[in-house]
Each structure stands twice: as structure tokens, then as C-alpha cells.
């Protein structure tokens, strides 16, 4: 699916918002609580943001839930996060479906446990016909890992004669990415005051606008999302061109 900038359509607000949900651990520690307490608070915040999307004109929302680098965290925290993901999916499936949300997962599922994968598959299947907000959850996801996996699939097609080397251009690789059915993000938001993209949607965000905000993710609100969308609408996006 082409992005808005590729298709030439215009909109005053972002159609696709991607969020690096950072700051859960620090939010919890500031309250004298364990880091997992913050992750639970952050999971609750997702619902409010998803519910706010239609009124803001956001059709696609992509959230960074767990990166390929997050396996480096303590075994206790990783196990707690995996348990949280299972409980969140089981709890939210009915509500997401009722609101017409279409859910997809991106990332490499190989390291995830079978129960979690089964829940992910079920949620995707149950919501596949929905036409409301398209919620994409990046789970065990890394931008470099995604490009490497896409390149391997592309290389296999070349080796097996389904694709000619001279046919490979910048429009080819996106067809092999995890996000191949999604438009590129218009706006990428990172919470918690960190000003880096942390290996998130590296290819897809080439022309995205970025907002780095100090708010910790559990404190992020629909009102702040609305403010950021309004700010996006005031930006002059030329994609390398010069206005006459």
C-alpha cells in the first residue's frame, strides 16, 4: 500500500501515527514501584490512545511494544513483559473487535512462546475484516532485523528466478517488509525525553515527521496526541521538492 506522500494525497493531520512508548520503567521507579508496575500502567494507556484515533483522523496506529534488543533486560522483566502481552491480548480481544479495530503484529515471532503466538494469531484472525483503526503492534521487532529478513526473502526470489536483479529498486524491498500492507508513518512520536529512534521503522520513516516529548508513556494522554497531530498539520512537508 502506498504512503500518502507516494500517492500524492494530502491531509492536514497524520493518517498514520507510530509511537515509541518509552518511560514505563522510570515512571514506576519514580513512584517507588517495580518496573513491571509501569509496564502495566503503560498497557492501560494504549486503550485510550486507540480510542482517540478516529476523532483525530488517524487511520493507522503503530506502537513499539518490545524490541529485539529488549531481550537484554533482566529475565524477570522479560518474563513479566511476556506475561503482560498474553494477558493484554486475552483481555482486549473482545473490546478491540467490538470497536472495529484491525490488529496486526510485526516482528520476528521465532523467539516468542507458543501460547503468545497463538493469541496473536487469534487476534489477527478475529479482527481481519474490521475497517476501523488499523492497530499494528511491533513485538520482538527491530528495524535492521526486519530489513535483513526482507532482504533474505528478496534474495530467495532472485535465486529462484521469480525476480530479476535488474528489477530490484527502492520500490521492491518494501513489498518484503513486515509492513508491506501499511502506508509509511506520517508522524513518529517518542515519549520520555529520549531523542533517538531506537531501530524503529528505519526504512518506513524516511520522510516521517518526528516528535520527541518529555512525557513518560503512562502519562501520555489523548489530549497530548491531539496537540501533536495539530502541530503536524502546521508543518510544511515538501519531500525534497521546492514550492513554486
Amino acid at each position: 500500500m502506498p504512503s500518502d506522500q507516494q500517492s500524492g494525497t494530502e491531509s492536514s493531520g497524520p493518517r498514520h501515527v507510530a509511537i515509541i512508548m518509552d518511560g514505563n520503567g522510570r515512571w514506576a521507579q519514580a513512584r517507588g514501584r517495580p518496573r513491571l508496575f509501569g509496564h502495566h500502567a503503560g498497557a492501560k494507556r494504549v486503550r485510550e490512545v486507540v480510542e482517540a484515533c478516529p476523532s483525530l483522523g488517524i487511520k493507522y496506529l503503530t506502537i513499539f511494544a518490545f524490541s529485539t534488543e529488549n531481550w537484554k533486560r533482566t529475565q524477570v522483566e522479560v518474563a513479566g513483559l511476556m506475561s503482560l502481552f498474553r494477558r493484554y491480548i486475552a483481555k482486549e480481544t473482545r473490546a478491540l473487535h467490538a470497536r472495529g479495530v484491525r490488529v496486526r503484529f510485526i516482528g520476528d515471532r521465532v523467539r516468542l512462546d507458543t501460547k503468545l503466538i497463538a493469541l496473536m494469531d487469534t487476534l489477527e484472525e478475529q479482527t481481519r475484516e474490521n475497517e476501523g483503526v488499523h492497530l499494528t503492534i511491533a513485538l520482538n521487532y527491530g528495524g535492521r532485523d526486519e530489513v535483513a529478513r526482507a532482504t533474505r526473502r528478496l534474495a530467495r526470489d532472485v535465486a529462484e528466478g521469480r525476480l530479476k536483479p535488474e528489477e530490484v529498486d527502492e520500490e521492491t524491498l518494501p513489498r518484503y517488509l513486515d509492513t508491506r500492507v501499511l502506508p509509511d508513518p506520517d508522524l513518529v512520536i517518542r515519549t520520555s525525553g529520549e531523542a533517538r529512534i531506537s531501530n524503529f521503522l528505519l526504512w518506513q520513516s524516511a520522510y516521517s515527521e518526528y516528535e520527541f516529548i518529555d512525557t513518560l508513556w503512562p502519562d501520555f494522554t489523548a489530549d497530548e496526541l491531539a496537540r501533536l497531530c495539530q502541530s503536524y498539520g502546521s508543518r510544511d512537508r515538501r519531500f525534497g521538492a521546492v514550492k513554486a
Side-chain angles (χ1 to χ4, degrees):
M1 180 181 293
S3 65
D4 283 353
Q5 57 262 44
Q6 292 168 324
S7 64
T9 60
E10 296 182 0
S11 174
S12 59
R15 183 169 175 245
H16 183 179
V17 174
I19 304 178
I20 302 171
M21 307 180 296
D22 195 21
N24 292 337
R26 276 169 283 167
W27 184 89
Q29 289 171 336
R31 289 158 176 77
R33 304 296 297 272
R35 290 176 57 85
L36 283 171
F37 178 76
H39 293 308
H40 282 273
K44 294 177 182 177
R45 186 60 62 192
V46 172
R47 174 182 282 198
E48 179 180 345
V49 171
V50 172
E51 291 177 345
C53 285
S55 65
L56 297 173
I58 299 170
K59 184 69 174 178
Y60 299 89
L61 176 67
T62 299
I63 57 175
F64 203 3
F66 189 89
S67 77
T68 51
E69 289 77 25
N70 286 155
W71 295 103
K72 300 173 185 177
R73 297 186 178 185
T74 67
Q75 185 175 358
V76 170
E77 184 170 356
V78 170
L81 282 167
M82 294 301 153
S83 176
L84 172 61
F85 296 146
R86 290 193 295 270
R87 289 201 299 272
Y88 175 84
I89 294 172
K91 179 181 177 182
E92 293 293 321
T93 293
R94 182 175 297 179
L96 288 167
H97 186 43
R99 291 197 297 271
V101 177
R102 169 74 184 270
V103 182
R104 296 180 178 88
F105 292 90
I106 58 173
D108 189 353
R109 303 189 185 193
V110 172
R111 291 189 67 176
L112 303 178
D113 69 70
T114 55
K115 290 183 179 179
L116 177 55
I117 294 172
L119 287 167
M120 293 162 63
D121 288 342
T122 298
L123 180 53
E124 287 182 323
E125 179 60 29
Q126 288 189 5
T127 63
R128 66 191 303 269
E129 301 297 331
N130 292 344
E131 293 295 333
V133 175
H134 289 242
L135 173 62
T136 301
I137 302 172
L139 188 55
N140 194 31
Y141 173 88
R144 289 180 175 179
D145 176 72
E146 177 191 28
V147 171
R149 289 185 287 106
T151 303
R152 285 196 295 271
R153 289 193 291 269
L154 188 155
R156 277 197 297 269
D157 280 353
V158 170
E160 295 172 7
R162 290 189 290 271
L163 183 67
K164 297 179 181 179
E166 58 271 19
E167 294 175 337
V168 177
D169 57 23
E170 66 180 71
E171 301 298 325
T172 308
L173 185 63
R175 300 200 297 266
Y176 293 83
L177 295 174
D178 296 351
T179 57
R180 54 191 168 273
V181 298
L182 301 173
D184 291 342
D186 302 298
L187 174 64
V188 180
I189 300 167
R190 179 170 187 149
T191 60
S192 88
E194 303 291 350
R196 57 181 178 271
I197 60 176
S198 293
N199 200 19
F200 184 50
L201 301 179
L202 299 180
W203 180 280
Q204 299 89 336
S205 62
Y207 283 100
S208 300
E209 298 289 325
Y210 273 85
E211 288 278 6
F212 298 101
I213 61 174
D214 291 333
T215 307
L216 301 177
W217 174 247
D219 291 327
F220 188 80
T221 64
D223 287 342
E224 188 153 20
L225 178 60
R227 179 183 64 78
L228 295 172
C229 290
Q230 184 177 17
S231 174
Y232 169 92
S234 67
R235 298 187 183 192
D236 184 13
R237 290 166 57 76
R238 298 186 299 274
F239 305 106
V242 176
K243 289 188 176 181

